[in-house]
Amino acid sequence: MNRNRLPDLHGHHLWLRELRPTDLAPFERIHTHRVLTRYLGIDRMDVRQAQDAFARCLAQPFHHPRHKYTLAVCALDDDTMVGTMGLLLEEYGRNAMLTSLVLLPDAPVRGHGHEAGRLLMAHGFGPLGLHRIWAGHRADHTRMREIMIAAGLRPEATLRQLFHTQGTWHDVTTYAALAPEWIPQATRAERTILTNTPTSLTPA
């Protein structure tokens, strides 16, 4: 399979797609927002920095091999970007990290952010052939725990002072899923992605 272009990934409440040039406005809104960037591993950007970051994200499908996927989160009945979700393939083993789950405050898919992670995990464990996918959140962002668990990730460790934002170092709590453990509990929509076969999407 061509790793450089990710197909649209449809779930039961939202879908993921590659970024488009027309996504600049919501991308800027997320990355220049004081609250939305509070718990990210990067500092809040100014407009120019956000535009530069967006240009780098648009170029991701043209990198060979591709290691970064920054995707738009959309509601099922609308292709307007309402958030972001990312996957970073590591350069050793068959591992990757879920990154940058952010939903706009008015996003109609709020409450279903874990599904974005699950869709990407299905693509990772299926077409990309990954064995281990992990994710983390700032240790003080405690409500992320339930999102991680809902995505099928298991708690692992706390990494002390992993990144520096807003003038201070932050601990990060990590979680991980292994393909042999995660795949058996996949929903019907996720199994479609795992096997890369089209079918009608109805709840499992």
Side-chain angles (χ1 to χ4, degrees):
M1 173 174 177
N2 182 359
R3 285 171 172 250
N4 287 340
R5 199 81 198 165
L6 186 137
D8 295 347
L9 305 178
H10 292 268
H12 300 305
H13 302 96
L14 54 78
W15 60 291
L16 302 177
R17 60 166 174 79
E18 294 278 11
L19 290 179
R20 304 168 181 165
T22 51
D23 296 324
L24 175 58
F27 187 94
E28 277 187 14
R29 183 180 172 195
I30 289 171
H31 289 86
T32 61
H33 197 288
R34 179 179 57 82
V35 175
L36 294 178
T37 57
R38 179 180 176 187
Y39 292 108
L40 293 183
I42 56 174
D43 277 314
R44 175 186 179 189
M45 300 178 185
D46 59 31
V47 171
R48 179 58 181 272
Q49 289 171 328
Q51 291 172 348
D52 290 345
F54 184 70
R56 291 192 294 272
C57 290
L58 284 181
Q60 289 173 358
F62 303 99
H63 292 179
H64 300 273
R66 182 176 184 179
H67 293 290
K68 294 182 179 180
Y69 296 79
T70 303
L71 307 170
V73 179
C74 304
L76 279 185
D77 58 352
D78 190 349
D79 68 352
T80 302
M81 174 179 159
V82 296
T84 61
M85 185 77 214
L87 185 71
L88 176 63
L89 303 188
E90 296 175 346
E91 295 184 3
Y92 56 91
R94 289 159 55 196
N95 314 303
M97 177 176 64
L98 294 172
T99 66
S100 304
L101 172 61
V102 185
L103 298 177
L104 291 168
D106 51 354
V109 300
R110 290 191 70 82
H112 301 289
H114 67 281
E115 187 175 291
R118 293 186 66 93
L119 293 175
L120 257 183
M121 291 167 75
H123 184 73
F125 288 139
L128 294 184
L130 298 174
H131 176 71
R132 182 178 187 274
I133 297 176
W134 71 283
H137 63 77
R138 262 178 45 178
D140 58 341
H141 193 16
T142 54
R143 80 179 193 86
M144 281 296 296
R145 175 183 170 84
E146 63 187 70
I147 296 174
M148 297 289 186
I149 299 299
L153 295 151
R154 296 185 181 181
E156 283 202 326
T158 296
L159 306 181
R160 296 187 302 156
Q161 298 189 9
L162 183 64
F163 64 83
H164 188 273
T165 61
Q166 301 154 15
T168 190
W169 287 96
H170 303 284
D171 294 349
V172 172
T173 303
T174 66
Y175 304 74
L178 304 178
E181 298 170 352
W182 191 90
I183 290 173
Q185 51 81 62
T187 66
R188 184 179 179 189
E190 293 156 4
R191 290 195 297 271
T192 298
I193 297 169
L194 283 161
T195 58
N196 198 28
T197 57
T199 186
S200 60
L201 300 182
T202 56

